[in-house]
Amino acid sequence: MKIKISYFYMIRFFKPNQIPISTAVWDPKWYHNFTGNPKYRFLDKNNVLNGIRLKDIVPNEKLHNCCRGRDNCASLNPESCEFLSGYRKQLYEIDFNTFIRTLETISSAAMSYTKSNDEPDIILIVYETPNNPCSERRVLIDWFASNGYELEEYRKE
């Protein structure tokens, strides 16, 4: 299992073995969330399972109103952003090995559901593109790196 990062727009290019997992506070309407009903699944036209979220890596409720937007970020310095510093603290409280085991469980279930025989890729999904410094993407990449894992950007094949 490989783990990568990307943003919602790129899901349209995924293959059935590429499993998007939202890290967003609010998902786009088309990204059908099935976590409230374990029997509901949404496969898009490419047979990609959509709707998976992991509550542990979604910014918690205390952070929902902390982001002032890229143009209002303190001198466009993401390191001084209350939202990103709070999100960093939230992630660093998670046991990384337990988190990876959760991803392995999700990966196995998703591959079984889509009937894909290819090696699974878990792709963590954020809203912002890679060139936006005001994004939880950087915090996720740092958290993975601090646990000895390089979180690479998904590239369309």
Side-chain angles (χ1 to χ4, degrees):
M1 173 184 78
K2 296 177 190 169
I3 306 170
K4 299 178 181 182
I5 192 163
S6 192
Y7 55 107
F8 283 103
Y9 174 84
M10 297 303 282
I11 293 173
R12 69 188 70 211
F13 304 112
F14 287 9
K15 295 181 169 104
N17 68 308
Q18 295 171 319
I19 307 157
I21 297 181
S22 173
T23 68
V25 174
W26 296 282
D27 297 326
K29 288 181 181 179
W30 58 264
Y31 188 79
H32 302 271
N33 182 350
F34 69 81
T35 56
N37 179 353
K39 294 183 180 183
Y40 177 75
R41 302 289 188 271
F42 173 70
L43 293 174
D44 68 13
K45 66 180 181 175
N46 294 326
N47 204 38
V48 172
L49 184 60
N50 280 236
I52 302 173
R53 295 171 53 82
L54 281 178
K55 186 178 179 192
D56 289 348
I57 60 169
V58 170
N60 64 40
E61 289 185 24
K62 292 184 276 185
L63 301 174
H64 288 191
N65 294 316
C66 292
C67 181
R68 303 292 177 243
R70 181 178 179 181
D71 294 336
N72 297 317
C73 207
S75 303
L76 294 179
N77 178 2
E79 296 304 315
S80 65
C81 175
E82 183 181 351
F83 173 82
L84 294 178
S85 63
Y87 187 54
R88 182 178 306 278
K89 184 175 188 279
Q90 176 186 331
L91 288 181
Y92 280 81
E93 291 174 356
I94 296 171
D95 180 275
F96 189 78
N97 293 323
T98 300
F99 175 74
I100 293 297
R101 285 192 299 276
T102 300
L103 293 183
E104 289 169 348
T105 300
I106 289 170
S107 171
S108 177
M111 297 307 287
S112 174
Y113 190 77
T114 62
K115 299 179 179 25
S116 176
N117 293 322
D118 296 325
E119 179 184 1
D121 288 345
I122 294 285
I123 305 177
L124 303 178
I125 303 295
V126 300
Y127 265 105
E128 298 82 5
T129 62
N131 61 352
N132 184 345
C134 189
S135 168
E136 64 267 24
R137 170 187 261 103
R138 179 79 257 151
V139 178
L140 284 161
I141 290 170
D142 290 349
W143 181 55
F144 271 78
S146 73
N147 285 284
Y149 196 101
E150 182 182 350
L151 187 60
E152 65 183 73
E153 188 71 32
Y154 163 78
R155 302 280 180 232
K156 185 171 67 166
E157 298 171 5

